Amino acid sequence: MASNYPTALFQRIFKREYSIEGISDTESYYPGCHCKTCLDSQCSCLNKSKYVYDEGFLKIDHILSKFNYPIFECNSNCVCDLNCANRVTQRDYLYCFQVFNTDYKGLGLRCHTQFSTGQFVIEFIGEIIKVREAKKRLEKLNTIDPCYIIILKEHAGDTKTFITCIDATLKGNESRFINHSCKPNLTIMPVRVNSILPHLCMFALKDIPIGEELTYDYAGGSDVIVDKATSVCLCKSDNCRGYLPYQDV
Ligand SMILES: C[S@@+](CC[C@H](N)C(=O)[O-])C[C@H]1O[C@@H](n2cnc3c(N)ncnc32)[C@H](O)[C@@H]1O
């Protein structure tokens, strides 16, 4: 399927942008910790996350668990600096990503760097929008249009659901070119730093060699039946569902 979206028109941004008033990333909503390296059990931020990182990598049991603990990294109220072991997704990365033509899925993304299992790869950034606005924008899309909106639902207990909507249609980074696969090499995890609104961070699910197309499961790997079958999935994996997952807001 060729991409018919005028991709040249998107604006490259380096930080997510809020269209929701009153929330920002600069001041922390969370209390900070007082340790310098945050490797010991005294670190209150690490305790909140239940030690999901191991020497800079997401632990394999966290990757594989269906019921993930939320990830809380150290924030702007903490004493530690960017070298802290609990600021994995906050450091600048210098990976050389390449947008390429996949021939049958439109554009895609690959990288000139290899990744190890659990390594942080890229954050999905764009415009943070409210659920109602996401609904409106999704309704405008045709089934054949490429969709750059991510809706991430987090369930707390049986009753509470926290929804994050990010639209990278007009503003975003290279992650907007990552295609879906039913057998992906990335997983997307909500990571909280300063704000209650999580950063949607992609980590390597397996060792990824240089040049392999980067993919994640648009259904978030969940077993929950997706709401609507929209377009045919062309991921060509042996466990392909046959259609692109789509979640109603
Ligand atoms: C986030 S965009 C990915 C980049 C897009 N391929 C492009 O050319 O800009 C998502 C869109 O890519 C296409 N796509 C992604 N994964 C696909 C797959 N496995 N099979 C078919 N089309 C896919 C669909 O059009 C989908 O709405």
Side-chain angles (χ1 to χ4, degrees), residues 7-139:
T7 42
L9 291 183
F10 94 98
Q11 184 192 338
R12 173 80 166 73
I13 54 169
F14 296 89
K15 280 191 171 140
R16 59 192 189 165
E17 290 187 6
Y18 288 98
S19 65
I20 303 173
E21 278 173 37
I23 304 180
S24 91
D25 273 333
T26 44
E27 280 186 40
S28 182
Y29 177 89
Y30 302 107
C33 65
H34 299 282
C35 32
K36 291 230 166 88
T37 57
C38 307
L39 283 171
D40 60 46
S41 57
Q42 303 305 313
C43 176
S44 51
C45 302
L46 267 185
N47 279 335
K48 264 196 286 177
S49 297
K50 307 236 184 207
Y51 295 89
V52 292
Y53 293 132
D54 186 11
E55 296 188 12
F57 293 85
L58 199 63
K59 282 184 178 168
I60 191 78
D61 56 351
H62 193 79
I63 294 175
L64 299 178
S65 163
K66 286 226 158 96
F67 304 101
N68 289 326
Y69 296 115
I71 304 176
F72 291 94
E73 291 197 351
C74 286
N75 60 64
S76 64
N77 283 333
C78 299
V79 174
C80 54
D81 62 22
L82 267 185
N83 296 315
C84 157
N86 193 33
R87 291 186 187 267
V88 170
T89 66
Q90 297 172 48
R91 292 186 272 271
D92 286 340
Y93 47 83
L94 299 168
Y95 307 138
C96 188
F97 291 106
Q98 186 193 21
V99 177
F100 71 105
N101 200 330
T102 64
D103 293 337
Y104 48 92
K105 293 176 295 191
L107 299 172
L109 193 73
R110 60 190 174 198
C111 192
H112 291 296
T113 309
Q114 60 186 18
F115 295 101
S116 304
T117 308
Q119 192 170 348
F120 169 56
V121 175
I122 195 166
E123 177 179 345
F124 184 89
I125 59 173
E127 193 190 345
I128 304 206
I129 52 176
K130 286 185 176 168
V131 170
R132 202 179 325 134
E133 179 62 23
K135 226 176 195 156
K136 262 202 257 168
R137 294 186 190 186
L138 285 169
E139 272 166 15

Side-chain angles (χ1 to χ4, degrees), residues 1-5 7 99-102 104-109 124 141-150 168 175-182 213 215-216 218 230-236 240 243-245:
M1 181 197 309
S3 169
N4 59 355
Y5 186 81
T7 42
V99 177
F100 71 105
N101 200 330
T102 64
Y104 48 92
K105 293 176 295 191
L107 299 172
L109 193 73
F124 184 89
L141 288 175
N142 287 312
T143 49
I144 52 151
D145 288 339
C147 174
Y148 301 92
I149 301 175
I150 286 193
S175 65
R176 73 194 282 288
F177 295 107
I178 301 179
N179 286 314
H180 161 85
S181 173
C182 300
E213 181 180 0
T215 56
Y216 68 97
Y218 287 5
T230 47
S231 323
V232 173
C233 177
L234 301 168
C235 78
K236 298 196 172 162
C240 180
Y243 55 87
L244 278 183

